C-alpha cells in the first residue's frame, strides 16, 4: 500500500484535443510500440490537401517499417466541396483538419500543415505559388523538414500537368526545392534557433500512381510490397488505409477495405537512388546515436514480453529510460524518451484524466475540474503528486484498480485570450492566398494545443511526466461517454439574426429589421454601450446602466431603410458592445461546427450582415427547394422575395408540385438522395405542365455517383470546370429569356465572382438542349456546358454548373439576377395560368 500525492500543473499549450475516448494501447499494440523503440528512422510525405495522402503507404511506414511517419498537407482543404453540410471556405478547412487528424490516429502517422489557403481548384502550379506566396510556403515546408528531420521525403505528385491540379503540382515543386533549402544555412536563417538546425534528407522520392487515365508507374521504378497483414493489429495495411481514408467524410471518401498484395512505386527526384530499401544508406538503429547496445536491451524486452501481464516489462523499460544518452542526438533522445514514457503508462495500466465540468469556460471565471488517477495494473508507485497553480492535494489509501478523484477549481485570468484556431487569430492575408501566422513556433502544427494536465508519477525514485489534455466529458444516452475539447470563451457573444438583406433599386421607403442578440456568459452590472457599424458609419443604440445575469439574452433591433442604401452597392453591418468591465476585444460571435465523426469545433468571428441593393426583378413567387449536400441557396431565394418551401420525398407528387412556379435542387441533390429516382416521373410531369426545374451541379465521380434520372433528355455530367473566376463569358444565344427576362444580363453581372465560374459542366447533351454560355480557363478551349436549358411540354428543365452556392453567400449581385431569370415563370405557362 502506498501513499499517493498528485502533482497537477495546468497550462495552455501542449496536447491536442480529441473527439473520442482518449486512446489506450491493447497488449498487442504495446508490443508493436516496444518493437518501434529499435527503429530510429523517419519519413515525411508531402502533398497539397487532406485526402491527397497515400494512407496505405503511411500505415505501412508507421506500423510495418516502424518509422516515425508524418504527412505535410500544404492546405487544410478550405476550397473543396462538402458532402455533409453547407460549410465552405474556412469552416470547411476546420472540418477537414479534424478529419485528417482522425485519419492519423488510425494509420499512426503525424500531421502537419503549412499556412497555404486552399483557394479552390486551379490548373497551374504558377497560379498556386503566386497566390500562396512562393517563398512563404517554401519556408513552411523547410521549417517542418528541419523540425521533423525526415531521412526520406516522399512527394505524392509530379511537377507537371499529370498532377491534375495546380496545387498538386506546386506541392511537388516545393518538396523538391525544400529538400535542398532545408540543408542550406543561408535559407530562412531566422528559423535556426532554439535547437532547430539545418537538415539534409537522404533522398526525395515521388510516389507514382495510376489514377483514372493517368498511369505514371513503371516496372523499372523502385517498388515495395505494402499489402501485408499485421497480426499485432489484426488488419492488413489495405484495411487500415480504408478506415483512415474513410475519415474524409466531408469529401464522400468512404472506401472498402482492400486485402492482398499491393505494390507501391517510386522514382527518385533528389538524392541517392534506393536499390534494396527506402532507407538504403541510412542507419535506422541505435548505432545511429552510438548506442548499439540498446538494441539488445530492447530485444530482451520483446522476448520476455508477457501479453497477459504487460506490467512485467516496466522494470526493463525503466532501465532503458535511465540509460545515459548523448544530448548531441537530442532529436532521437527526446523522441525515444517520450515513447518509453508512453509505454510505461500503457504497460502499467495507469489511468489519468482531467475533465472539466463545462465545455465552455468564460474568461475571468473559474473552471471546475475533476482529477482522476487509477493504478489499474497495481504497479509499485512511490508517489503521485498534484499541484494546481500552487495548491497541493494528497490522495491517500490508494488501492489497486481504485479510482480516486479530486475536484479542484482554477480561475481563468482576465487577461487570457479566448480559444481560437491559431491560423485564424489574424485570418487570411490580403489576397486570400495564405493565413497570417507570425509565431514561428506554431507554424506547421495541425491545431491548437489545449489545456493540459501534467501528472508526475514517481516510480523507483524516478519522476515520470504524463501530459493529458483537459477535456469536457459527458454521457450521451445514445452514444455513451464522450469527450470534447475545452474552450475558453468571451464574456459576451454578439450574433446577428440574419446574414443577408436584399433591397431592390426600385424600393422606396422599404424598412427592414436587422436583429442582434447579446448572449451574456457572465453577470454584468455596469455602464454598457451598444452601437452598430455600417460601412464606416457608427451609431449608438443604447448607452446606459446594464444589469444582466449569466446566460441572459438581450435582443436589439436596428431598422434599415432602403432609401439609406445607395443603388447597386454592397454594405456590411455589425454590432459592437463595450463595457468598462471587459476588454474591447472580448465581444465577438462564437461559431460552433458539430459532426459526430470529429470533435466540436469553435471559433470566434465578427458577425455581420451583408446588405445588397441592386437592380433585381423577379417573376413568380413560390419556389420548392430539394436539399442536397448542403448550401445556402434557399436562404438567398427567401431574401430575393420568394416563398421557399423545403421539399422532401413525400412532397414530390404532381398535386403538390403544381403550386410552385419553380423547383430547385440543391448542390449534389442527386448524389445524396437516391430516392430522387422514385420521383422522376412526378418531376417530369411538373415540368411538362409548365413548371421550371433547375438542377444545380451534381458529380459523376466517386463522391456519390448519380444513380437517378435527372432530365427529360440525356446529357453527361463531366469533370470539366472553369476555375478562373474572372474568365470571359460569352452569350451564345443573346436573345434567350435566361439572359433577358426579367433582368437584362450583361457582362457586368459576371464581375466580382469568387473562386471559380463553374464545375461539373454538362457535355454530350441531346440536341433538345440550348447552350446559353461559354467560357474557358487560360490556354484552354471554350466550354459551353455550364448552363443548358431544354423546353419540355409547357415548362423548362435547366442544368447548371455555375457556382451559385458560392456566389450567393458572397453577395455577388449578378448571380442573384441570373438566378432570378432562370426560375422566372415561362411566358407561355404564365399566359395559361392567367387565362384560367
Amino acid at each position: 500500500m502506498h501513499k499517493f500525492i498528485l502533482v497537477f500543473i495546468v497550462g495552455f499549450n501542449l496536447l491536442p484535443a480529441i473527439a473520442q475516448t482518449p486512446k489506450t494501447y491493447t497488449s498487442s499494440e504495446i508490443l508493436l510500440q516496444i518493437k518501434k523503440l529499435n527503429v530510429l528512422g523517419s519519413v515525411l510525405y508531402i502533398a497539397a490537401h487532406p485526402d491527397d495522402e497515400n494512407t496505405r503507404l503511411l500505415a505501412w511506414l508507421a506500423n510495418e517499417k516502424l518509422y516515425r511517419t508524418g504527412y505535410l498537407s500544404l492546405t487544410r482543404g478550405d476550397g473543396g466541396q462538402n458532402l455533409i453540410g453547407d460549410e465552405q471556405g474556412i469552416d470547411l478547412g476546420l472540418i477537414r483538419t479534424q478529419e485528417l487528424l482522425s485519419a492519423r490516429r488510425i494509420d499512426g502517422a503525424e500531421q502537419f500543415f503549412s499556412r497555404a489557403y486552399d483557394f479552390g481548384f486551379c490548373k497551374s502550379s504558377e497560379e498556386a505559388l503566386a497566390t500562396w506566396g512562393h517563398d512563404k510556403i517554401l519556408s513552411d515546408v523547410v521549417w517542418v523538414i528541419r523540425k521533423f528531420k525526415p531521412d526520406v521525403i516522399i512527394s505524392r505528385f509530379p511537377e507537371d500537368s499529370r498532377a491534375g491540379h495546380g496545387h498538386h503540382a506546386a506541392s511537388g515543386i516545393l518538396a523538391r526545392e525544400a529538400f535542398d533549402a532545408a540543408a542550406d544555412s543561408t535559407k530562412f536563417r531566422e528559423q535556426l534557433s532554439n535547437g532547430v538546425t539545418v537538415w539534409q534528407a537522404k533522398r526525395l522520392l515521388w510516389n507514382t500512381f495510376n489514377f483514372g487515365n493517368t498511369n505514371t508507374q513503371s516496372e523499372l521504378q523502385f517498388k515495395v510490397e505494402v499489402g501485408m497483414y499485421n497480426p499485432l493489429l489484426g488488419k492488413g495495411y489495405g484495411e487500415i488505409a480504408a478506415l483512415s481514408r474513410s475519415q474524409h467524410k466531408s469529401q464522400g471518401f468512404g472506401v472498402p477495405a482492400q486485402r492482398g498484395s499491393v505494390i507501391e512505386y517510386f522514382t527518385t527526384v533528389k538524392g541517392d537512388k534506393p536499390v534494396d530499401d527506402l532507407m538504403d544508406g541510412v542507419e535506422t538503429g541505435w548505432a545511429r546515436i552510438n548506442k548499439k547496445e540498446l538494441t539488445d536491451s530492447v530485444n530482451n524486452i520483446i522476448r520476455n514480453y508477457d501479453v497477459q501481464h504487460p506490467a512485467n516489462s516496466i522494470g526493463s523499460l525503466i532501465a532503458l529510460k535511465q540509460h545515459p544518452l548523448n544530448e548531441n542526438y537530442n532529436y532521437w533522445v527526446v523522441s525515444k524518451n517520450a515513447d518509453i514514457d508512453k509505454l510505461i503508462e500503457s504497460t502499467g495500466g495507469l489511468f489519468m484524466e482531467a475533465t472539466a465540468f463545462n465545455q465552455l469556460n468564460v474568461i475571468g471565471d473559474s473552471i471546475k475540474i475533476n482529477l482522476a488517477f487509477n493504478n489499474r495494473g497495481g504497479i509499485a508507485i512511490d508517489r503521485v503528486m498534484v499541484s494546481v497553480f500552487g495548491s497541493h492535494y494528497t490522495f491517500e489509501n490508494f488501492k489497486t484498480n481504485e479510482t480516486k478523484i479530486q475536484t479542484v477549481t482554477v480561475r481563468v485570468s482576465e487577461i487570457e485570450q479566448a480559444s481560437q484556431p491559431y491560423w485564424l487569430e489574424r485570418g487570411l492575408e490580403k489576397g486570400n492566398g495564405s493565413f497570417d501566422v507570425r509565431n514561428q513556433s506554431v507554424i506547421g502544427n495541425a491545431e491548437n494545443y489545449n489545456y493540459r494536465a501534467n501528472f508526475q508519477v514517481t516510480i523507483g525514485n524516478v519522476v515520470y511526466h504524463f501530459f493529458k489534455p483537459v477535456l469536457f466529458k459527458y454521457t450521451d444516452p445514445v452514444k455513451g461517454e464522450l469527450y470534447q475539447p475545452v474552450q475558453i470563451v468571451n464574456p459576451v457573444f454578439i450574433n446577428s439574426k440574419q446574414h443577408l438583406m436584399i433591397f431592390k433599386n426600385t424600393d422606396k421607403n422599404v424598412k427592414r429589421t436587422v436583429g442582434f442578440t447579446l448572449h451574456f456568459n457572465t453577470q454584468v452590472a455596469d455602464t454598457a454601450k451598444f452601437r452598430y457599424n455600417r460601412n464606416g458609419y457608427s451609431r449608438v443604440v443604447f448607452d446606459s446602466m446594464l444589469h444582466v445575469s449569466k446566460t441572459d439574452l438581450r435582443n436589439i433591433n436596428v431598422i434599415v431603410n432602403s432609401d439609406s442604401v445607395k443603388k447597386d452597392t454592397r454594405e456590411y453591418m455589425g454590432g459592437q458592445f463595450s463595457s468598462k468591465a471587459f476588454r474591447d476585444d472580448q465581444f465577438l460571435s462564437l461559431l460552433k461546427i458539430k459532426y459526430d465523426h470529429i470533435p466540436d469545433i469553435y471559433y470566434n468571428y465578427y458577425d455581420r450582415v451583408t446588405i445588397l441593393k441592386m437592380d433585381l426583378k423577379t417573376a413568380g413567387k413560390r419556389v420548392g427547394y430539394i436539399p442536397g449536400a448542403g448550401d445556402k441557396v434557399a436562404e438567398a431565394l427567401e431574401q430575393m422575395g420568394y416563398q421557399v418551401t423545403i421539399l422532401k420525398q413525400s412532397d414530390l407528387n404532381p398535386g403538390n408540385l403544381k403550386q410552385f412556379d419553380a423547383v430547385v435542387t440543391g448542390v449534389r441533390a442527386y448524389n445524396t438522395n437516391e430516392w430522387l429516382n422514385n420521383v422522376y416521373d412526378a418531376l417530369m410531369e411538373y415540368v411538362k405542365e409548365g413548371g421550371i426545374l433547375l438542377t444545380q451541379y451534381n458529380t459523376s465521380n466517386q463522391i456519390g455517383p448519380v444513380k437517378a434520372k435527372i432530365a427529360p433528355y440525356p446529357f453527361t455530367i463531366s469533370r470539366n470546370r472553369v476555375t478562373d473566376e474572372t474568365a470571359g463569358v460569352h452569350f451564345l444565344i443573346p436573345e434567350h429569356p435566361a439572359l433577358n427576362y426579367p433582368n437584362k444580363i450583361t457582362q457586368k453581372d459576371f464581375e466580382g465572382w469568387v473562386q471559380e465560374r463553374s464545375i461539373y459542366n454538362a457535355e454530350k447533351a441531346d440536341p433538345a438542349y440550348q447552350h446559353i454560355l461559354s467560357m474557358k480557363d487560360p490556354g484552354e478551349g471554350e466550354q459551353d456546358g455550364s448552363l443548358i436549358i431544354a423546353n419540355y411540354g409547357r415548362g423548362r428543365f435547366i442544368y447548371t454548373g455555375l457556382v451559385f452556392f458560392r456566389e450567393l453567400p458572397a453577395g455577388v449581385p449578378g448571380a442573384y439576377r441570373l438566378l432570378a431569370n432562370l426560375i422566372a415563370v415561362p411566358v407561355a405557362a404564365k399566359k395559361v395560368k392567367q387565362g384560367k
Side-chain angles (χ1 to χ4, degrees), residues 778-792:
E780 297 187 355
E782 290 284 328
Q783 295 187 34
D784 63 1
S786 64
L787 179 59
I788 60 171
I789 300 176
N791 293 326
Y792 183 65

Side-chain angles (χ1 to χ4, degrees), residues 513-675:
T513 301
V514 174
F516 295 96
T517 298
L518 301 180
H519 183 132
F520 292 91
N521 300 312
T522 189
Q523 180 178 333
V524 178
D526 195 7
T527 300
K529 181 185 296 184
F530 181 86
R531 69 176 68 228
Y532 70 82
N533 302 310
R534 180 176 149 198
N535 269 35
Y537 170 77
S538 180
R539 180 175 179 180
V540 175
V541 178
F542 72 76
D543 185 356
S544 61
M545 192 68 183
L546 184 66
H547 294 274
V548 293
S549 301
K550 189 173 183 177
T551 73
D552 274 2
L553 300 177
R554 289 290 186 271
N555 294 312
I556 300 169
N557 292 324
V558 178
I559 303 299
V560 179
N561 191 311
S562 61
D563 295 350
S564 69
V565 185
K566 293 181 180 180
K567 292 182 179 181
D568 299 315
T569 59
R570 179 194 290 117
E571 296 186 0
Y572 300 100
M573 176 184 285
Q576 182 178 347
F577 179 82
S578 59
S579 169
K580 294 180 181 178
F582 309 113
R583 302 194 312 263
D584 287 341
D585 64 347
Q586 293 183 325
F587 312 109
L588 294 169
S589 183
L590 184 70
L591 180 73
K592 179 178 182 179
I593 301 173
K594 185 174 182 65
Y595 290 99
D596 286 347
H597 67 295
I598 55 176
D600 291 348
I601 300 170
Y602 292 90
Y603 75 91
N604 303 283
Y605 70 104
Y606 182 56
D607 197 4
R608 62 183 187 175
V609 180
T610 300
I611 303 173
L612 290 176
K613 192 171 187 181
M614 67 180 98
D615 180 14
L616 175 65
K617 302 179 183 68
T618 59
K621 297 184 180 298
R622 297 183 62 85
V623 176
Y625 199 83
I626 303 173
D631 57 60
K632 295 182 171 70
V633 176
E635 177 186 351
L637 287 167
E638 289 179 335
Q639 285 298 316
M640 293 167 70
Y642 296 101
Q643 300 174 35
V644 179
T645 301
I646 302 300
L647 301 176
K648 52 186 182 297
Q649 182 176 2
S650 60
D651 299 322
L652 299 179
N653 60 80
N656 187 53
L657 288 174
K658 66 182 180 181
Q659 66 178 298
F660 299 110
D661 297 306
V663 172
V664 180
T665 67
V667 298
R668 294 193 296 196
Y670 287 88
N671 295 123
T672 58
N673 302 315
E674 289 190 27
W675 54 261

Side-chain angles (χ1 to χ4, degrees), residues 76-97:
R76 296 176 184 270
D78 325 77
Q81 300 164 44
N82 185 359
L83 191 68
I84 61 176
D86 61 10
E87 294 86 2
Q88 298 177 27
I90 286 172
D91 294 4
L92 180 57
L94 289 163
I95 292 172
R96 297 186 71 183
T97 292

Side-chain angles (χ1 to χ4, degrees), residues 404-588:
K404 287 288 187 178
I405 297 175
Q406 283 277 4
T407 300
V408 301
T409 301
V410 297
R411 187 170 182 81
V412 182
S413 169
E414 285 82 357
I415 65 172
E416 186 56 53
Q417 298 293 317
S419 302
Q420 180 82 333
Y422 75 85
W423 60 99
L424 300 184
E425 289 177 2
R426 301 180 66 90
L428 288 167
E429 288 192 340
K430 186 177 181 181
N432 293 343
S434 63
F435 293 102
D436 185 4
V437 180
R438 303 181 185 183
N439 181 353
Q440 183 68 53
S441 66
V442 302
I443 292 172
N445 289 352
E447 62 179 339
N448 280 38
Y449 294 119
N450 214 339
Y451 280 115
R452 65 161 183 170
N454 180 0
F455 285 79
Q456 298 181 10
V457 181
T458 303
I459 305 172
N461 296 320
V462 178
V463 178
Y464 296 89
H465 297 259
F466 301 107
F467 296 98
K468 300 295 175 182
V470 179
L471 301 172
F472 170 59
K473 181 172 75 171
Y474 64 103
T475 302
D476 182 277
V478 175
K479 302 171 186 174
E481 186 175 82
L482 298 174
Y483 292 78
Q484 294 288 355
V486 166
Q487 302 289 320
I488 305 302
V489 301
N490 287 314
V492 182
F493 300 150
I494 305 176
N495 297 307
S496 61
K497 294 182 179 179
Q498 64 191 88
H499 298 99
L500 177 68
M501 177 179 290
I502 295 177
F503 290 109
K504 299 176 182 178
N505 283 348
T506 55
D507 286 340
K508 301 294 183 184
N509 198 32
V510 175
K511 297 179 180 179
R512 296 207 175 115
T513 301
V514 174
F516 295 96
T517 298
L518 301 180
H519 183 132
F520 292 91
N521 300 312
T522 189
Q523 180 178 333
V524 178
D526 195 7
T527 300
K529 181 185 296 184
F530 181 86
R531 69 176 68 228
Y532 70 82
N533 302 310
R534 180 176 149 198
N535 269 35
Y537 170 77
S538 180
R539 180 175 179 180
V540 175
V541 178
F542 72 76
D543 185 356
S544 61
M545 192 68 183
L546 184 66
H547 294 274
V548 293
S549 301
K550 189 173 183 177
T551 73
D552 274 2
L553 300 177
R554 289 290 186 271
N555 294 312
I556 300 169
N557 292 324
V558 178
I559 303 299
V560 179
N561 191 311
S562 61
D563 295 350
S564 69
V565 185
K566 293 181 180 180
K567 292 182 179 181
D568 299 315
T569 59
R570 179 194 290 117
E571 296 186 0
Y572 300 100
M573 176 184 285
Q576 182 178 347
F577 179 82
S578 59
S579 169
K580 294 180 181 178
F582 309 113
R583 302 194 312 263
D584 287 341
D585 64 347
Q586 293 183 325
F587 312 109
L588 294 169

Side-chain angles (χ1 to χ4, degrees), residues 164 238 353 708:
E353 183 179 81

Side-chain angles (χ1 to χ4, degrees), residues 788-804:
I788 60 171
I789 300 176
N791 293 326
Y792 183 65
R794 292 185 292 141
R796 186 179 298 159
F797 172 83
I798 304 165
Y799 176 83
T800 182
L802 294 171
V803 288
F804 288 109

